[in-house]
Amino acid sequence: THTYETILVETRGRVGWITLNRPEALNALNSQVMHDIVAAASAFDADPRIGAIVVTGSERAFAAGADIKEMESKTGLDMVMDDHFGGWARFAAVRTPVIAAVSGYALGGGCELAMMCDIILAADSAKFGQPEINLGVIPGMGGTQRLVRAVGYYKAAELVLTGRLMGAEEAERAGLVSRVVPAAELLDEAGKVAETIAAKSLPSVYAAKATLDAALESTLAEGLRLEKHAFAALFDTADQKEGMAAFREKRSPDFQNR
Ligand code: CO8
């Protein structure tokens, strides 16, 4: 198996785990981290034995942002040419559900990385924020767009314009976090959520993620059209027949992912 410089990668059953591993920089996201995460997530995404992915950091930091020391001397043209944007777009586009298990700091690019995931589980110690304004820049990995969609304009504007951090409870109230759990239980809980998803029928999971994504990107009419087609298409899978037969026969379904 492939080894990576800046992340630890592990498969547990049908769940792929990606653990950011730059403790000396609070998991700051430099180019190597981006390449590693994108490569690992793409490999999991291409493997039908994987039904869910967990991305996590350390207890102290999910990720404290893009790597400021790497970015400091760059020009505007460098930032465009480096194609960070394309790399992260590939991560955001994986069809497998991704769970961010966030403990400690999820700041700047770290908060944006969490928002590229489908479910955000937060330890009660988690701190979210978009402090780029303090560095003379703005969020550049989707923060201005995804945060507005997650928490609404006024909360997002306050966070992006002031750079204020918010704790896990506030983030959950605001709708940025799926659920807050005690820090000691974060990884177990993330594993349980991932295993639950990974036990479903893959075609329905892919369809669910794709249609949920559309809710953020399209008009209601377009989204409903997509949902209608995706819903209907699932009736041509063996797993739909199995799932509904299992319900009628009062047993658990045995999905074949087709
Ligand atoms: N980049 C590089 N190094 C970092 C970063 C970072 N984002 N965050 C922390 N580090 C380093 C520190 O420099 C320090 O290194 P050293 O020991 O060599 O001095 C080490 O990690 C530990 O950090 P601290 O000593 O600062 O730890 P504290 O507990 O005192 O503070 C904080 C923790 C509050 C998280 C603090 O480290 C901090 O404020 N970090 C920066 C947070 C930030 O501003 N994040 C936003 C970055 S900009 C961004 O994300 C833009 C995204 C768009 C990118 C577009 C494509 C590239």
Side-chain angles (χ1 to χ4, degrees), residues 23-26 28 60 64-69 71 79 84-85 88 105 107-110 112 131-132 135 137-141 165:
E24 72 286 358
L26 300 183
R60 194 165 161 221
D67 192 309
I68 298 167
K69 294 162 190 166
M71 287 185 295
M79 292 310 285
H84 292 280
F85 309 107
W88 290 118
Y105 295 110
L107 306 183
E112 294 170 298
E132 289 90 341
L135 301 168
V137 294
I138 64 170
M141 281 167 54
L165 309 190

Side-chain angles (χ1 to χ4, degrees), residues 41 46 57 62 64 72 80 92 98 104 115 131 141 144 155 160 174 180 183 185 188 190 192 201 213 252:
F62 177 72
E72 184 177 354
V80 171
V98 185
M115 290 191 287
M141 281 167 54
T144 61
K155 190 91 183 172
V160 170
V180 180
E185 292 163 29
D188 277 354
K192 281 185 202 152
S201 167
D213 279 351
S252 311

Side-chain angles (χ1 to χ4, degrees), residues 1 4-5 13 20 22 32 38-39 72 86 102 107 117-118 120 138 155 194 233 236 238 258:
T1 62
Y4 298 93
E5 259 176 63
L20 279 69
R22 288 190 76 207
Q32 191 60 46
V38 172
E72 184 177 354
V102 176
L107 306 183
C117 302
D118 303 291
I120 303 180
I138 64 170
K155 190 91 183 172
D236 292 329
R258 55 194 172 80

Side-chain angles (χ1 to χ4, degrees), residues 234-253:
L234 289 168
F235 283 75
D236 292 329
T237 64
D239 284 346
Q240 172 266 327
K241 297 291 175 284
E242 168 60 13
M244 294 193 181
F247 173 79
R248 178 169 39 74
E249 293 162 9
K250 302 188 190 299
R251 58 175 176 82
S252 311

